[in-house]
Amino acid sequence: MTFDPGTPPPAAAHDDHVLATWLAGVAGDRLLEVREEGHEGKALKDAGDLAAHDLLMSLLAEHRPDDAVLSEEALENAADKDARLSAKRVWIIDPLDGTREFSEPPRDDWAVHVALWQEGELVAGAVAQPVLGETFNTGTPSVVPPRTAQRPRIAVSRSRPPAFVEALAAEIGADLVPMGSAGVKVMSVVRDVADAYVHAGGQYEWDNAAPVAVARAAGLFCSRVDGSELAYNQSDVSLPDLIVCRPELAEPILAFVREHGTD
């Protein structure tokens, strides 16, 4: 049975926020369908990755044919890997962020990332969490709720929390909240499930471009761990470290990193 994504809202023809939101949402729908096709383990990861990637690439070719695309799969297969570096508009996508969690139904901590970079800036983005039925986006920015926890909460990997983050938590009196994909961790700050996400274990641009766009639109602080700007559509697509947090936590976190580093 062929998946039918339908047609985007009419505004998507000229509004990149609307298109990003629709793209992330329909890719999420496709992934939910893949979960029901009988695959397990690595086969489920691979089937999901491929299905969402092919869908997003075909829809971007249809609806934004003049724009470049950066994704892990596109980077590996592109005939001219450097064409995007001279492009004015580049879509940075992660068709399935959190493949491990996706392959373990009914886990919900995986996501779809769609972001648009234009002449040096992230200008639109969407992060779909399909199991939640939510697509967080820059067109209708989230309002971060007031903090409900007495102690700050830091989102960390459920399998490999960095030692320096454990030390940071001890220093600022925070609790660690383990969860899956990078996008889910960033959205946990948007949703008041956590108050910060601090990472220095290695990522690529597609891992955090859309989450950062959404978090910034919601008024959260976003930077590298040394406080420098996050830069996208670079020749080296590695973007190994990241802070996303409520603004009032930025200085305590940056001060800890300045003093202790991330080793």
Side-chain angles (χ1 to χ4, degrees), residues 1 7 55 64 89 124 148 164 205 215 221 244 259 263:
M1 185 174 175
T7 56
L55 177 63
R64 294 293 189 273
R89 289 165 51 93
T148 54
F164 92 93
E205 291 187 21
F221 174 86
V244 177
E259 184 174 352
D263 297 327

Side-chain angles (χ1 to χ4, degrees), residues 1-4 26-39 44 48 51 55 102 110 130:
M1 185 174 175
T2 304
F3 177 77
D4 180 9
V26 295
D29 291 342
R30 178 70 182 102
L31 286 163
L32 290 174
E33 185 179 87
V34 171
R35 259 190 166 183
E36 303 300 319
E37 291 176 352
H39 309 286
L44 178 53
L55 177 63
F102 172 76
W110 51 276

Side-chain angles (χ1 to χ4, degrees), residues 231-244:
Y232 294 91
N233 196 36
Q234 304 296 297
S235 55
D236 179 359
V237 296
S238 172
L239 194 53
D241 54 75
L242 174 70
I243 297 171
V244 177

Side-chain angles (χ1 to χ4, degrees), residues 157 160-165 197-204 207 225 238-242 262:
S157 168
R160 51 188 187 284
F164 92 93
V165 177
Y197 172 40
V198 184
H199 178 80
Q203 286 184 0
Y204 295 93
D207 291 314
V225 292
S238 172
L239 194 53
D241 54 75
L242 174 70
T262 60

Side-chain angles (χ1 to χ4, degrees), residues 187-209:
M187 292 310 100
S188 75
V189 185
V190 172
R191 297 170 56 216
D192 186 43
V193 175
D195 304 299
Y197 172 40
V198 184
H199 178 80
Q203 286 184 0
Y204 295 93
E205 291 187 21
W206 48 80
D207 291 314
N208 58 52

